[in-house]
Amino acid sequence: REAAAFLQDTTLELDVKLGMLGISFMQEQPEPSELLFLAVDLVDVRYVLNSSTDTEKLRLSIADVQLDCQLFSRGEGSSSMTSTRRAVILCKHEGQDNREFLDVFYQREAISTQDLIFSALEVSLSAVEVVFDEGWFEPFMVAL
C-alpha cells in the first residue's frame, strides 16, 4: 500500500539540452559517401509527468536547423564555380525576428486512460527556406 501511495504522488521531470546535434545520411554503394548532413542547434526538451494531477507536459524547441546536400556537384562542395545548385537545401529563414525554428508545447490530461485529451497544444514554426530538386532527392532515394 505504501508503494501505491508513493506512485500516486510521483512527478517525473526530464530536461534535455543539446548545444548542437549533427546527423549524416550516408550511402554505401557504389562507394561510401555522405548524401545529406542535418545540423540542429540548441535543442531543448522538457517533459513533466505528474501522476497526482494525472497530467503530462512536453515542450520541444529547436533554435536553428540546416540541411546540407553533401553531393560533390552542389554549390559549396563543387569544383565548378558555375554551379547554380545550392548545398543548403533547408534552413531557417534569416528574418527580422529571433524566434526559434520550431517550438512545440502540449499538455495532456487524463493520462491514466488511453484517450488523447489535450488541454493545450501550441506549434510555432518560423519561416523556412527549402530547395527541392532532383539533384539531391534522386540520389537520396536510390540510397534508401
Side-chain angles (χ1 to χ4, degrees):
R1 290 183 188 241
E2 289 180 26
F6 173 76
L7 290 175
Q8 285 181 338
D9 295 329
T10 301
T11 299
L12 169 70
E13 293 188 36
L14 178 64
D15 207 358
V16 177
K17 296 179 188 291
L18 298 172
M20 183 174 188
L21 174 67
I23 300 172
S24 290
F25 298 92
M26 307 289 292
Q27 73 175 359
E28 294 182 8
Q29 301 295 329
E31 63 181 58
S33 62
E34 187 175 38
L35 294 174
L36 300 172
F37 179 73
L38 176 66
V40 181
D41 290 336
L42 300 175
V43 178
D44 188 5
V45 179
R46 181 170 172 82
Y47 177 78
V48 178
L49 173 70
N50 189 329
S51 62
S52 63
T53 60
D54 203 24
T55 60
E56 70 179 354
K57 298 177 185 178
L58 174 72
R59 174 164 304 275
L60 165 68
S61 64
I62 299 173
D64 202 0
V65 66
Q66 182 167 318
L67 181 63
D68 295 325
C69 179
Q70 300 296 87
L71 296 174
F72 189 69
S73 62
R74 299 305 277 213
E76 289 83 9
S78 175
S79 61
S80 169
M81 298 303 281
T82 61
S83 176
T84 59
R85 292 186 172 168
R86 295 176 46 196
V88 177
I89 56 178
L90 182 144
C91 66
K92 176 180 165 185
H93 180 70
E94 297 300 325
Q96 304 288 330
D97 62 2
N98 290 328
R99 294 185 318 160
E100 287 88 5
F101 165 73
L102 176 67
D103 188 33
V104 177
F105 170 78
Y106 88 82
Q107 180 172 328
R108 182 175 160 222
E109 297 179 355
I111 59 173
S112 58
T113 69
Q114 296 297 320
D115 300 329
L116 288 176
I117 302 171
F118 294 105
S119 58
L121 178 62
E122 302 170 12
V123 178
S124 174
L125 181 65
S126 67
V128 177
E129 293 181 29
V130 179
V131 176
F132 188 83
D133 61 51
E134 75 284 351
W136 70 267
F137 188 71
E138 285 180 10
F140 182 69
M141 293 307 293
V142 168
L144 292 179

